[in-house]
Amino acid sequence: GMQSHLQALLSLYKLFCPELVTIALPGKTKTYFKNSEGPWKAAINTIRQRNQEKSPVSQVLFLCTAQPRSRKRKWNTQLIIPASSTNKNNLEEDKEQNHVDLYCMNESFPVEQLQTFSQLLQNIHHLEFPSQMGSVLTNPLLLHYMNCIKDESIYLRLYYWMGQTLQEECTWCVTDNNKYEEEFKDFLETVYKTECFLQEGFSSCEEFLYKSLPLWDGCCCQSQVLRLLSWIPLSSFSETKSHLYDPMAQLFFTSSLYFKCSFLESLKELLQNWLNWHVIHLDSESDS
């Protein structure tokens, strides 16, 4: 007999191809499938209102079928990279025990007092990464330490924090992007400088680019996005083609000559970074 989910499926077929469904269906059926055109209609209306210089749209628009995400700006109205700070629990224990010898082998050196490269060398065996891993992005000494200490947990902590921040702050997935675009530009610029410092791309940044490029208009944060493209980690051609070349091809063929040249420049830098990584990797294997 007729089941509710089958009726919903047939109703969907009848909506788009009525000639394929000849049987009578009840007028009221439970909605099992979301309208895929809804978000794009809302996007068109938003762009139309923006071009007509009307008042800004109040509702949040996401160019995907997922539920709108909270921007989590309850206590802080700015996108700020946290400052380096030691774990508070460790500091409280140190105060209780009155430990003042910072160079003791059994004590961790507070990252707040790490100011020079010589301090890093003297305390490299008893340094502790800050409680908020995002602070390493603006601390060259901690980035040096990150390069020396190949700890997977460090990269995982930074991966989760950066991935969440990029997802929540992406300005071309919401309508109120003008308000936060400059902050997001500065953040992407900081991420790019960190990748240049480490000579390595972040996997969380790669995932963010692959997910957001199909929704990108090619204008918002243009120089920052194209720079980040040059640090995508080495992967198979099929993966790169489907996630990078295919969505960018649509922008490439409909954009200005300046954008075309900028994109080709970022691809050239991407190739150079891949070749450098490959050479370094081969040298390390030959040494071992």
Side-chain angles (χ1 to χ4, degrees):
M2 291 297 292
Q3 300 179 29
S4 58
H5 56 277
L6 292 178
Q7 288 182 0
L9 182 61
L10 288 171
S11 299
L12 191 65
Y13 273 106
K14 195 165 186 176
L15 178 64
F16 290 99
C17 300
E19 69 279 1
L20 297 180
V21 183
T22 57
I23 62 174
L25 294 172
K28 293 183 178 180
T29 56
K30 184 177 179 181
T31 303
Y32 279 83
F33 308 98
K34 294 182 179 180
N35 186 3
S36 60
E37 296 179 353
W40 294 109
K41 287 182 179 179
I44 293 173
N45 291 332
T46 302
I47 295 173
R48 185 178 295 141
Q49 291 184 14
R50 187 185 303 162
N51 291 339
Q52 292 174 355
E53 296 182 354
K54 290 186 177 181
S55 60
V57 182
S58 59
Q59 71 176 46
V60 179
L61 168 68
F62 281 83
L63 300 181
C64 60
T65 56
Q67 294 295 324
R69 299 185 300 266
S70 171
R71 293 185 67 81
K72 293 185 179 179
R73 296 238 172 153
K74 205 172 197 178
W75 306 109
N76 188 0
T77 58
Q78 292 182 332
L79 171 58
I80 298 177
I81 298 175
S84 300
S85 60
T86 310
N87 191 302
K88 292 183 179 179
N89 295 332
N90 293 346
L91 286 179
E92 291 175 359
E93 291 176 3
D94 290 344
K95 290 179 180 178
E96 291 176 0
Q97 300 174 6
N98 295 323
H99 286 167
V100 294
D101 185 8
L102 300 178
Y103 295 92
C104 177
M105 290 303 294
N106 296 325
E107 296 297 324
S108 60
F109 187 82
V111 291
E112 297 95 329
Q113 300 187 21
L114 185 63
Q115 301 294 331
T116 63
F117 193 76
S118 59
Q119 282 182 326
L120 172 66
L121 296 179
Q122 291 172 4
N123 300 278
I124 197 167
H125 294 297
H126 46 102
L127 262 178
E128 182 182 352
F129 272 98
S131 55
Q132 294 179 295
M133 277 302 297
S135 61
V136 303
L137 296 180
T138 55
N139 193 321
L141 295 175
L142 288 180
L143 290 176
H144 278 301
Y145 183 52
M146 187 175 173
N147 259 341
C148 296
I149 308 299
K150 297 298 182 180
D151 187 353
E152 187 178 354
S153 63
I154 296 170
Y155 287 90
L156 281 176
R157 287 176 60 194
L158 189 59
Y159 166 81
Y160 287 123
W161 176 84
M162 187 182 297
Q164 187 72 13
T165 305
L166 288 169
Q167 181 182 7
E168 290 179 357
E169 302 295 335
C170 181
T171 53
W172 57 83
C173 289
V174 291
T175 54
D176 56 346
N177 55 0
N178 293 330
K179 184 177 181 181
Y180 302 113
E181 184 174 351
E182 290 303 319
E183 295 179 12
F184 193 57
K185 278 183 180 180
D186 293 339
F187 180 68
L188 294 182
E189 193 71 32
T190 302
V191 174
Y192 169 73
K193 291 178 180 178
T194 305
E195 290 182 331
C196 292
F197 186 93
L198 295 174
Q199 291 292 292
E200 183 180 2
F202 293 112
S203 56
S204 54
C205 189
E206 176 192 17
E207 290 182 9
F208 162 73
L209 289 172
Y210 285 165
K211 289 179 181 178
S212 61
L213 281 179
L215 310 175
W216 187 43
D217 60 2
C219 299
C220 183
C221 308
Q222 182 183 114
S223 61
Q224 289 76 20
V225 172
L226 292 178
R227 288 178 182 176
L228 290 175
L229 287 178
S230 64
W231 281 110
I232 290 179
L234 184 65
S235 57
S236 63
F237 175 75
S238 58
E239 181 180 355
T240 308
K241 181 180 183 300
S242 60
H243 290 104
L244 174 61
Y245 299 146
D246 289 347
M248 290 300 294
Q250 303 177 30
L251 284 174
F252 184 84
F253 291 117
T254 58
S255 61
S256 64
L257 181 62
Y258 176 79
F259 181 87
K260 290 182 173 66
C261 295
S262 301
F263 180 59
L264 292 177
E265 179 70 18
S266 67
L267 290 183
K268 186 198 78 171
E269 293 176 359
L270 175 63
L271 180 59
Q272 289 177 341
N273 292 332
W274 280 357
L275 292 174
N276 290 333
W277 180 90
H278 203 62
V279 170
I280 294 172
H281 193 66
L282 289 176
D283 290 342
S284 61
E285 287 183 349
S286 62
D287 292 340
S288 60

